[in-house]
Amino acid sequence: MELTQRQKIIFKTIVDEFTRCAEPVGSKTLMQLLDFPVSSATIRNEMVTLEKAGLLEKTHTSSGRVPSQKGYRYYVEHLMETNLDVQVKDALQEVFAQRHYSLDEVVDKSCEILSHMTNLTSIVLGPDSRSQKLAHVQLIPISERSAVGIIVTDQGHTENKVFDFGTEVSAQDIKTCMELMNDQLIGTPISEVVEKMKEIEPLMAAKVVRHEVLFEAFVTAFMRFATEKVKVSGRSNMLYQPEFSDLNKLKELMKVLESSSLFHQWTDQEDNVAIQIDNRNELIQIGDCSVLTTKFHYTNDEEGQLMVVGPNRMQYSKVIALMDYMSSVIEDVFTNKGGQKKNE
């Protein structure tokens, strides 16, 4: 069904008002919100038409209407206007321009900002590093018991980690260990580094006095580096959403948000409805929940995802505008001034 211009305006106003206040919207409220004269009876007739089209639903507790799942999809695809305040844009740029961030830090910071600014739950997925190969390892002693380790992949990803060895390790041991790993491990896929380290452990034991301490530290670091980077922030925001007042429903959602594997199962269910909003954004409807996702690139070949999870009643235009802009800012973090990706 093709909506008239008046029906589109009335429907958009209902969605905007309901996502703002979580109260069903009636004809009297709409008369005050619309910027053109129209009678209450006319509005009611248009609402009935929109309900028959499957875009609105009537609640049991009020004469007002609320958007349906189909209605939200129609709004996102045809009526949504995204715009981000200049002050918000400047603030986001300032946050990431303050200093050089590692991949993990960008993931963490992005997640915190998203949950804070949307009052919803945010999830950021970094790239899976397992397909990359080790290009370089550097160890820089900062005390007798600790060192900074720098791991670089063939695709330009750099991870910094402070190793607290818990005991004194000589500078010579650190130097020998670093030389050995660069000699034996360069070109090894990240997913295979731990197994390769086990193979060269006897060689390390023969050359490094405190080899067991250094070996354990690097095995742990590479295992963490090889896993998908997932950060979740703002779980408690769900407590303030009326749609999740059912404690059992909230508990189930919290379980999903605690586990990346459960989350993937949840978003990949057959009866979910997913629509591509543009070449970067997607909306997934899962029962009473919606998941908005936005892609961003670390390199030309690898991408991560920003996600916001909340009730179907969320302020889509605000959330998508924020995610879209933030993804661009994140990409800028991994871009040199000349416009080339860091791994190029």
Side-chain angles (χ1 to χ4, degrees):
M1 169 186 173
E2 181 64 33
L3 300 186
T4 66
Q5 188 61 24
R6 183 169 69 187
Q7 288 167 349
K8 289 179 180 178
I9 294 172
I10 289 174
F11 177 67
K12 182 178 184 299
T13 304
I14 291 172
V15 174
D16 290 340
E17 180 65 9
F18 182 65
T19 55
R20 184 188 69 81
C21 67
E23 293 291 337
V25 183
S27 57
K28 292 182 179 179
T29 300
L30 283 168
M31 285 182 67
Q32 298 173 353
L33 294 173
L34 295 171
D35 58 4
F36 56 87
V38 61
S39 69
S40 179
T42 299
I43 291 175
R44 286 196 296 271
N45 287 336
E46 296 288 36
M47 290 169 76
V48 169
T49 301
L50 292 167
E51 188 177 350
K52 288 180 178 177
L55 302 180
L56 293 179
E57 296 174 342
K58 189 172 183 178
T59 66
H60 299 294
T61 57
S62 166
S63 60
R65 305 296 200 282
V66 300
S68 65
Q69 278 197 350
K70 179 181 176 181
Y72 285 120
R73 295 198 298 273
Y74 182 88
Y75 172 83
V76 168
E77 288 185 286
H78 303 289
L79 303 177
M80 181 178 65
E81 299 172 359
T82 59
N83 188 34
L84 204 59
D85 187 272
V86 174
Q87 290 181 325
V88 175
K89 291 181 178 180
D90 291 344
L92 288 175
Q93 285 186 329
E94 181 65 25
V95 167
F96 289 102
Q98 288 176 359
R99 63 187 179 88
H100 173 70
Y101 284 98
S102 70
L103 183 57
D104 278 346
E105 288 173 328
V106 168
V107 169
D108 289 354
K109 182 67 69 175
S110 302
C111 208
E112 290 169 5
I113 292 173
L114 265 180
S115 63
H116 176 72
M117 297 189 74
T118 63
N119 291 317
L120 297 169
T121 300
S122 64
I123 299 171
V124 180
L125 300 182
D128 188 336
S129 304
R130 288 173 293 186
S131 61
Q132 300 177 47
K133 295 179 180 180
L134 184 65
H136 183 69
V137 176
Q138 187 173 3
L139 274 174
I140 304 171
I142 54 178
S143 75
E144 292 180 339
R145 292 173 172 261
S146 61
V148 174
I150 302 172
I151 301 170
V152 184
T153 75
D154 63 333
Q155 294 187 22
H157 288 171
T158 301
E159 290 295 314
N160 304 325
K161 179 175 175 58
V162 175
F163 294 105
D164 186 356
F165 302 121
T167 186
E168 292 185 9
V169 177
S170 70
Q172 183 58 49
D173 269 2
I174 290 177
K175 182 175 182 293
T176 303
C177 180
M178 181 179 67
E179 291 174 348
L180 183 61
M181 285 193 291
N182 280 310
D183 181 59
Q184 297 290 324
L185 301 179
I186 297 307
T188 304
I190 296 297
S191 60
E192 300 174 13
V193 166
V194 173
E195 285 303 314
K196 189 74 175 289
M197 282 191 70
K198 291 177 181 177
E199 294 177 9
I200 67 170
E201 185 179 9
L203 187 59
M204 187 181 292
K207 294 186 175 184
V208 180
V209 176
R210 303 308 304 271
H211 81 278
E212 70 284 352
V213 175
L214 289 163
F215 178 81
E216 185 64 32
F218 269 94
V219 165
T220 302
F222 279 113
M223 287 178 68
R224 181 172 179 270
F225 190 44
T227 58
E228 185 178 49
K229 293 168 176 59
V230 182
K231 173 70 175 179
V232 181
S233 183
R235 293 183 183 87
S236 62
N237 288 336
M238 291 302 186
L239 297 171
Y240 306 104
Q241 304 297 333
E243 289 84 352
F244 300 110
S245 56
D246 183 325
L247 191 58
N248 289 328
K249 182 189 295 185
L250 184 63
K251 285 180 178 177
E252 288 302 313
L253 183 58
M254 291 300 107
K255 286 181 183 177
V256 168
L257 297 177
E258 290 287 343
S259 165
S260 60
S261 60
L262 285 178
F263 181 80
H264 285 304
Q265 291 175 24
W266 186 59
T267 54
D268 291 340
Q269 296 176 86
E270 287 186 5
D271 54 350
N272 292 345
V273 179
I275 60 168
Q276 195 72 32
I277 301 170
D278 50 38
N279 62 353
R280 174 177 270 183
N281 302 298
E282 184 181 42
L283 166 64
I284 306 172
Q285 291 181 323
I286 312 168
D288 295 334
C289 292
S290 283
V291 180
L292 283 171
T293 72
T294 298
K295 297 177 181 177
F296 60 92
H297 288 87
Y298 290 100
T299 68
N300 288 336
D301 301 320
E302 288 199 304
E303 63 185 22
Q305 281 187 308
L306 302 180
M307 299 185 182
V308 169
V309 181
N312 289 327
R313 177 198 56 82
M314 71 166 73
Q315 293 180 297
Y316 292 97
S317 57
K318 173 186 175 182
V319 175
I320 289 177
L322 180 61
M323 294 170 68
D324 226 7
Y325 188 74
M326 184 176 288
S327 64
S328 297
V329 173
I330 292 172
E331 288 180 346
D332 287 343
V333 173
F334 292 94
T335 304
N336 290 324
K337 292 180 180 179
Q340 296 297 311
K341 297 295 182 185
K342 286 189 176 182
N343 68 316
E344 293 182 344

